[in-house]
Amino acid sequence: MALKRFTTSLGLAAFLILPIAGCTNSPVGKSFQGAFEADPQLKDNGSAIGATQTPQPSPVAQTDQAQLPANFPAEIPIYPNRSLLEVDANQPNQGVLTRWSSQDKSDQIVAFYLQELQKNGWTLDGQPIDKTQGTFEANRDGLQAIVTVQSNSQPGTSAGFSIQASRTQPTQSASPSASVPQPGSPEFIGPMPQVAAPTSNSSPVASEPQTFTDLDKAPKELSQYAKDLTQLGVLSLSSNNKSGTSKTLFEPNKTITRREYARWLVAANNRIYTSRPARQIRLGVETSQPAFQDVSRTDPDFPAIQGLAEAGLISSSLSGDSTTVLFRPNAPLSREDLILWKLPIDTRQTLPSATIDAVKQTWGFQDAARIDSKALRAVLADFQNGDQANIRRAFGYTTLFQPKRTVTRAEAAAVLWYFGFQGDGLSATEALKGGARSNP
């Protein structure tokens, strides 16, 4: 009996549904359909299942391959659609360096940081001129963020960017003003105080050998290079050699800034080739039109930086690169710039053309595609220098160049220990002995 009543009810339900379904345009049909349609408010609600939400910056992405340190400053904005590739916390006095990738276009990342770093109390001390790549330098309440975006103009490639986060560490001193980073310190960020303009005979080369008490803290493969250059008096830690102060700590594993490397590069070349004036780099003079907007004539490192630009050894408007108007003197030096600035001085000729495949076949670098196109030529030319190649001397055998990685002071010293190409050159050791010609 119960089965009969159930069958009768089922048939009645089917009888009611079929006419309505067949008349979907009727008011009753539309009302019936509306009862089973999704609530349109739920479609517009970002919390609905399957809805696409606008990504928001957050300190950690759940899909990151690496682990972001817990002490990474939450104030620094992180691009939403990204993956964390690598964390380098071994940055003495330089905080932490993180490397990221994104499937979005690099110009979207540049636009994001241009917007985010111009609000919430950040002060932009430098920003890219190119909308697809470049470096931001921003400061906020003693926190420094250096964001470098790499272009992914080639189809199918990912955009990469890095974030260097560090906090200003006050220097311990009895003097109340010593807690503020002073000009010449790697932690100092302008503006520079108004001082007398350097004269044409000013030199970044120290006149006497230096004394450092911590050179033994450098990797043993690099310590001798730093010791030789110290004896030559070229590894000055202050831009002002007349300050009357002396530093006994070299901090060989500390990240070197772009201004320090420019100063040492000119000093090392000119001191090693002290008896060969034709190979020396002429310093910029106070009457020169500054090649960079952020390195004025009053900057203590203006002679060296301006001299490199006027010699065409670093890219600037003087060499025809109208987009390079900032030098970013206090930013960390990258490996690719380490080699790019040095090789033209080694070869004394135009760098050869280069391709990613050529670098892969010679050096065997797995990350050759990440090297900037300009630096690619220098990297290939460096391979042709055999055992005196700068890369071999500074980094040993490696299949990863890591072009955006920062450089330590000891690594920079290893590169600057020798100048020359394919047998025609001099080392710091030979310069100390009187400048005998080297035969690598």
Side-chain angles (χ1 to χ4, degrees), residues 77 109-120 124 136:
I109 302 176
V110 171
F112 170 83
Y113 279 104
L114 182 62
Q115 177 181 351
E116 293 298 318
L117 292 176
Q118 285 182 327
K119 61 184 182 181
N120 299 327
L124 271 179
F136 295 91

Side-chain angles (χ1 to χ4, degrees), residues 4-134:
K4 182 177 180 181
R5 284 198 301 270
F6 173 76
T7 305
T8 303
S9 300
L10 184 61
L12 180 60
F15 175 79
L16 292 173
I17 291 173
L18 288 173
I20 294 174
C23 303
T24 55
N25 295 326
S26 67
V28 178
K30 292 181 178 179
S31 176
F32 185 84
Q33 286 181 321
F36 291 90
E37 287 183 347
D39 187 346
Q41 294 183 351
L42 292 178
K43 290 183 179 181
D44 297 333
N45 189 345
S47 62
I49 297 177
T52 302
Q53 300 185 19
T54 302
Q56 297 296 325
S58 61
V60 181
Q62 297 299 320
T63 58
D64 288 342
Q65 301 174 11
Q67 183 69 39
L68 195 64
N71 61 348
F72 189 85
E75 304 95 317
I76 298 180
I78 301 179
Y79 188 73
N81 184 25
R82 86 291 184 191
S83 294
L84 180 60
L85 300 179
E86 183 182 1
V87 175
D88 185 357
N90 298 319
Q91 300 285 315
N93 300 325
Q94 294 293 327
V96 60
L97 176 67
T98 57
R99 298 180 180 85
W100 313 73
S101 69
S102 175
Q103 296 301 317
D104 293 344
K105 294 293 185 182
S106 59
D107 58 351
Q108 294 177 256
I109 302 176
V110 171
F112 170 83
Y113 279 104
L114 182 62
Q115 177 181 351
E116 293 298 318
L117 292 176
Q118 285 182 327
K119 61 184 182 181
N120 299 327
W122 287 97
T123 299
L124 271 179
D125 293 323
Q127 65 186 62
I129 302 299
D130 189 338
K131 67 178 182 179
T132 65
Q133 61 184 344

Side-chain angles (χ1 to χ4, degrees), residues 236-257:
S236 60
L237 301 182
S238 173
S239 305
N240 185 1
N241 295 319
K242 299 181 180 180
S243 61
T245 62
S246 61
K247 292 186 177 181
T248 60
L249 295 181
F250 179 64
E251 297 181 281
N253 300 313
K254 183 176 182 178
T255 298
I256 187 173
T257 64

